[in-house]
Amino acid sequence: MKVFEPIQEKLKIALDEPRYEHTLGVMYTAGCIAMAHGYDVPKAMLAGLLHDCAKCMTHEERLELCEKNQVAVTASELENKALLHAKAGAILAKIEYDITDEDILHAIAVHTTGEPNMNMLDKIIYIADYIEPGRDKAPNLELVRALAYKDLDACMAQILYDTLHYLQSRGGHIDQTTTEAYEFYKGYRKEV
Ligand code: DGI
Ligand code: FE
Ligand code: FE
């Protein structure tokens, strides 16, 4: 959409090419999921477009960004460098891309771990990130893609279940928020 072009031009410079491609995938997928559930489509697209805006900075740059904006970094985010781009992304979306909508900033902040009791935009972005067309490695992708348009909570439950299993198999530290999110959503999971 024309209104997103200035942001797209900026992101094209801030991100590497595969990440920019992924970002467009998430933008369109978030728009589609929003349509299916009667949510504000441009708002979901904008959140999708910006969700990984801090992904291609260094860990040090992300730490500095948090510090300068008085945002606390957890021990888990210090230890697991894959996590901080979500929180840093929300800060960057606000100060660098002039986003004032708190729902969009929140959806960006929680897009990696999820959290208990997410609002509709949070779920749309979390799910779009996992199922966008460029993703091909996740287990149960066909099921999760179908659920995205039918039942957001069941979809969340399945993605969190598969993500926890993946993280466990990798043997890395699992962020407490990811576990809490799964505990919240697991009751919605449909047996596969
Ligand atoms: O930024 P993307 O690659 O598009 O996707 P994302 O924001 O979901 O980040 C995925 C990465 O985050 C992946 O490397 C796994 C990691 N991750 C997600 N939850 C946890 C986690 N890593 C740790 N250590 N603990 C978690 O709970
Ligand atoms: Fe991300
Ligand atoms: Fe992403």
Side-chain angles (χ1 to χ4, degrees), residues 51-52 55 85 111-112 129:
H51 83 286
D52 271 342
K55 188 78 177 186
H85 78 282
H111 88 266
T112 300
D129 193 18

PDB file of all heavy atoms in Angstrom, residues 51-52 55 85 111-112 129, ligand 2:
ATOM      1  N   HIS A  51       7.647  -5.528  12.442  1.00  0.00           N
ATOM      2  CA  HIS A  51       7.894  -6.394  13.603  1.00  0.00           C
ATOM      3  C   HIS A  51       9.372  -6.739  13.815  1.00  0.00           C
ATOM      4  O   HIS A  51       9.824  -6.886  14.934  1.00  0.00           O
ATOM      5  CB  HIS A  51       7.034  -7.674  13.533  1.00  0.00           C
ATOM      6  CG  HIS A  51       7.629  -8.751  12.683  1.00  0.00           C
ATOM      7  ND1 HIS A  51       7.643  -8.696  11.309  1.00  0.00           N
ATOM      8  CD2 HIS A  51       8.268  -9.887  13.016  1.00  0.00           C
ATOM      9  CE1 HIS A  51       8.253  -9.765  10.844  1.00  0.00           C
ATOM     10  NE2 HIS A  51       8.648 -10.508  11.846  1.00  0.00           N
ATOM     11  N   ASP A  52      10.132  -6.858  12.726  1.00  0.00           N
ATOM     12  CA  ASP A  52      11.558  -7.220  12.848  1.00  0.00           C
ATOM     13  C   ASP A  52      12.476  -6.033  12.527  1.00  0.00           C
ATOM     14  O   ASP A  52      13.619  -6.235  12.115  1.00  0.00           O
ATOM     15  CB  ASP A  52      11.888  -8.379  11.892  1.00  0.00           C
ATOM     16  CG  ASP A  52      11.676  -9.755  12.515  1.00  0.00           C
ATOM     17  OD1 ASP A  52      11.615  -9.852  13.766  1.00  0.00           O
ATOM     18  OD2 ASP A  52      11.581 -10.738  11.754  1.00  0.00           O
ATOM     19  N   LYS A  55      15.996  -6.255  13.784  1.00  0.00           N
ATOM     20  CA  LYS A  55      16.617  -7.587  13.650  1.00  0.00           C
ATOM     21  C   LYS A  55      18.053  -7.521  13.125  1.00  0.00           C
ATOM     22  O   LYS A  55      18.856  -8.393  13.431  1.00  0.00           O
ATOM     23  CB  LYS A  55      15.746  -8.430  12.711  1.00  0.00           C
ATOM     24  CG  LYS A  55      16.140  -9.879  12.606  1.00  0.00           C
ATOM     25  CD  LYS A  55      15.692 -10.698  13.792  1.00  0.00           C
ATOM     26  CE  LYS A  55      16.054 -12.172  13.590  1.00  0.00           C
ATOM     27  NZ  LYS A  55      15.504 -13.031  14.649  1.00  0.00           N
ATOM     28  N   HIS A  85      15.594  -8.421  19.974  1.00  0.00           N
ATOM     29  CA  HIS A  85      15.139  -7.632  18.815  1.00  0.00           C
ATOM     30  C   HIS A  85      13.646  -7.284  18.903  1.00  0.00           C
ATOM     31  O   HIS A  85      13.198  -6.347  18.235  1.00  0.00           O
ATOM     32  CB  HIS A  85      15.461  -8.336  17.489  1.00  0.00           C
ATOM     33  CG  HIS A  85      14.523  -9.451  17.149  1.00  0.00           C
ATOM     34  ND1 HIS A  85      14.584 -10.691  17.710  1.00  0.00           N
ATOM     35  CD2 HIS A  85      13.473  -9.496  16.286  1.00  0.00           C
ATOM     36  CE1 HIS A  85      13.631 -11.458  17.214  1.00  0.00           C
ATOM     37  NE2 HIS A  85      12.939 -10.757  16.342  1.00  0.00           N
ATOM     38  N   HIS A 111       6.430 -10.288  19.995  1.00  0.00           N
ATOM     39  CA  HIS A 111       6.289 -11.193  18.851  1.00  0.00           C
ATOM     40  C   HIS A 111       7.201 -12.416  18.890  1.00  0.00           C
ATOM     41  O   HIS A 111       6.941 -13.396  18.190  1.00  0.00           O
ATOM     42  CB  HIS A 111       6.463 -10.437  17.521  1.00  0.00           C
ATOM     43  CG  HIS A 111       7.876 -10.345  17.025  1.00  0.00           C
ATOM     44  ND1 HIS A 111       8.700  -9.268  17.282  1.00  0.00           N
ATOM     45  CD2 HIS A 111       8.631 -11.207  16.304  1.00  0.00           C
ATOM     46  CE1 HIS A 111       9.876  -9.464  16.730  1.00  0.00           C
ATOM     47  NE2 HIS A 111       9.872 -10.637  16.130  1.00  0.00           N
ATOM     48  N   THR A 112       8.238 -12.402  19.710  1.00  0.00           N
ATOM     49  CA  THR A 112       9.156 -13.549  19.712  1.00  0.00           C
ATOM     50  C   THR A 112       8.781 -14.597  20.763  1.00  0.00           C
ATOM     51  O   THR A 112       8.762 -15.795  20.452  1.00  0.00           O
ATOM     52  CB  THR A 112      10.611 -13.069  19.904  1.00  0.00           C
ATOM     53  OG1 THR A 112      10.933 -12.191  18.829  1.00  0.00           O
ATOM     54  CG2 THR A 112      11.582 -14.237  19.900  1.00  0.00           C
ATOM     55  N   ASP A 129       4.180 -14.242  11.646  1.00  0.00           N
ATOM     56  CA  ASP A 129       5.629 -14.423  11.657  1.00  0.00           C
ATOM     57  C   ASP A 129       5.999 -15.888  11.430  1.00  0.00           C
ATOM     58  O   ASP A 129       6.989 -16.207  10.786  1.00  0.00           O
ATOM     59  CB  ASP A 129       6.152 -13.943  13.024  1.00  0.00           C
ATOM     60  CG  ASP A 129       7.652 -13.777  13.078  1.00  0.00           C
ATOM     61  OD1 ASP A 129       8.298 -13.691  12.016  1.00  0.00           O
ATOM     62  OD2 ASP A 129       8.183 -13.718  14.205  1.00  0.00           O
TER      63      ASP A 129
HETATM   64 FE    FE B   2      11.428 -11.554  15.075  1.00  0.00          FE
END
